[in-house]
Amino acid sequence: MFFSTFAFYSKKMHATTPLRTVQVMRYILALREGGSLPALADADDGFKYVVKFRGAGHQEKALIAELLGGEIARLLGFKIPELVYAELDEAFGRTEGDEEIQDLLQGSQGLNLALHFLSGAINYDPLVMEVDAETASEIVWLDALITNVDRTFKNTNMLMWHKELWLIDHGASFFFHHSWVNWEKHALSPFAFIKDHVLLPQASQLAAADAKFKNMLTEEALRTIVNLIPDAWLVSPDESETPDSMREVYAQFLIRRVAHSEIFVKEAQDARKTLI
């Protein structure tokens, strides 16, 4: 993913802090490693951001997953680059010569999502960097909760910055919302893809992580995070649902998944047994 080449800067943020909105001022560089063609850009607050565009392949769904996954991780105490809403006006990127990128920018006018740039961060390398069992277990628990298919050996989606581990790129989470059917079934799924998680071999304290995080992810806390999703990103597949009704699906998905976390915890524990 694009994070494997670039790093990000983040302010210290608390969970459920309302997101700021910035205006994207200058397009610096397309980050071509990911299929969604995010970009490094300057904003009107003087900082650099990696912008994820609503006009990319998975459109608003990727932005929603990034927002929910990142803010849940922040609530649980992980280090996450600050997420901000990023406004693009119709003139943004006009000088870009690449037609594919021009089309992307034209389809992304309005509200997008961006992450602060962590200058000097390096990719987490599982072959040379160690993560303790408690931290590994907690990250595996998080990714099983949000059904994140993309924290693997191929794409670790973690950075080391000032000798601390930072989590990035949650846009491949909540894969149920790409079909928007049987969400109740998905909420109670064991999440078999956890077998591919890069930190699963070290995750020997999953039961402790479960006990800790279930108490933190209250219904109120989850609804506060879900309510951060802008109306503009909640596009009903058949125009039968409103933004409020779609937010309710996300909230209920998370509430039920937390309440029945023993299902995905057991799946992770069983998958780990095959690795050790």
Side-chain angles (χ1 to χ4, degrees):
M1 303 298 287
F2 63 89
F3 290 106
S4 62
T5 301
F6 294 90
F8 305 87
Y9 171 78
S10 176
K11 295 180 179 179
K12 292 183 178 178
M13 296 283 291
H14 297 288
T16 68
T17 300
L19 269 63
R20 297 186 300 111
T21 299
V22 302
Q23 184 76 35
V24 180
M25 303 300 292
R26 185 171 70 96
Y27 187 95
I28 299 174
L29 183 67
L31 307 178
R32 294 179 176 274
E33 290 190 22
S36 60
L37 286 179
L40 185 65
D42 284 327
D44 60 352
D45 62 354
F47 291 108
K48 286 182 172 59
Y49 292 89
V50 167
V51 183
K52 288 198 166 186
F53 298 107
R54 61 188 298 186
H58 291 302
Q59 300 181 308
E60 293 87 357
K61 294 289 197 300
L63 306 190
I64 291 171
E66 189 76 62
L67 172 60
L68 295 181
E71 291 307 305
I72 290 170
R74 196 187 315 282
L75 172 62
L76 295 178
F78 296 108
K79 293 188 178 299
I80 305 289
E82 183 191 2
L83 297 172
V84 298
Y85 302 124
E87 284 277 3
L88 268 66
D89 64 33
E90 61 182 12
F92 183 75
R94 251 180 212 165
T95 58
E96 172 59 46
D98 188 304
E99 291 186 4
E100 181 183 10
I101 296 175
Q102 279 276 14
D103 291 342
L104 172 67
L105 299 178
Q106 288 175 9
S108 302
Q109 294 173 15
L111 202 63
N112 296 270
L113 190 70
L115 301 86
H116 258 297
F117 187 78
L118 293 181
S119 179
I122 60 175
N123 301 318
Y124 169 76
D125 185 343
L127 299 179
V128 298
M129 300 175 182
E130 295 185 0
V131 174
D132 63 87
E134 179 181 7
T135 302
S137 300
E138 292 180 351
I139 295 173
V140 168
W141 191 96
L142 164 70
D143 288 329
L145 169 71
I146 64 175
T147 62
N148 182 14
V149 300
D150 204 16
R151 197 155 359 247
T152 65
F153 281 89
K154 182 178 179 180
N155 293 313
T156 62
N157 290 332
M158 294 182 285
L159 298 173
M160 295 299 297
W161 193 59
H162 293 293
K163 300 181 180 180
E164 294 180 314
L165 189 69
W166 290 68
L167 305 186
I168 58 172
D169 201 351
H170 299 92
S173 307
F174 299 94
F175 61 84
F176 84 90
H177 65 181
H178 294 291
S179 62
W180 204 252
V181 294
N182 295 327
W183 67 265
E184 299 95 336
K185 177 181 177 181
H186 285 288
L188 302 181
S189 73
F191 190 56
F193 289 108
I194 203 66
K195 65 182 175 56
D196 300 319
H197 200 288
V198 65
L199 296 180
L200 186 61
Q202 298 99 294
S204 60
Q205 299 180 20
L206 286 164
D210 186 46
K212 175 182 177 181
F213 286 162
K214 281 182 75 112
N215 291 328
M216 297 174 68
L217 292 177
T218 64
E219 178 175 343
E220 179 183 7
L222 291 170
R223 287 188 179 278
T224 298
I225 292 173
V226 168
N227 285 339
L228 294 172
I229 306 173
D231 283 1
W233 296 354
L234 291 162
V235 181
S236 176
D238 56 8
E239 299 184 353
S240 64
E241 298 194 61
T242 66
D244 283 342
S245 68
M246 294 180 75
R247 285 191 196 90
E248 185 62 22
V249 169
Y250 284 107
Q252 287 297 330
F253 174 86
L254 286 164
I255 290 166
R256 295 186 190 193
R257 198 150 179 80
V258 170
H260 297 279
S261 60
E262 70 279 359
I263 296 174
F264 63 76
V265 168
K266 184 179 185 303
E267 179 73 16
Q269 290 171 329
D270 290 346
R272 184 174 177 273
K273 289 176 183 177
T274 68
L275 302 176
I276 58 176

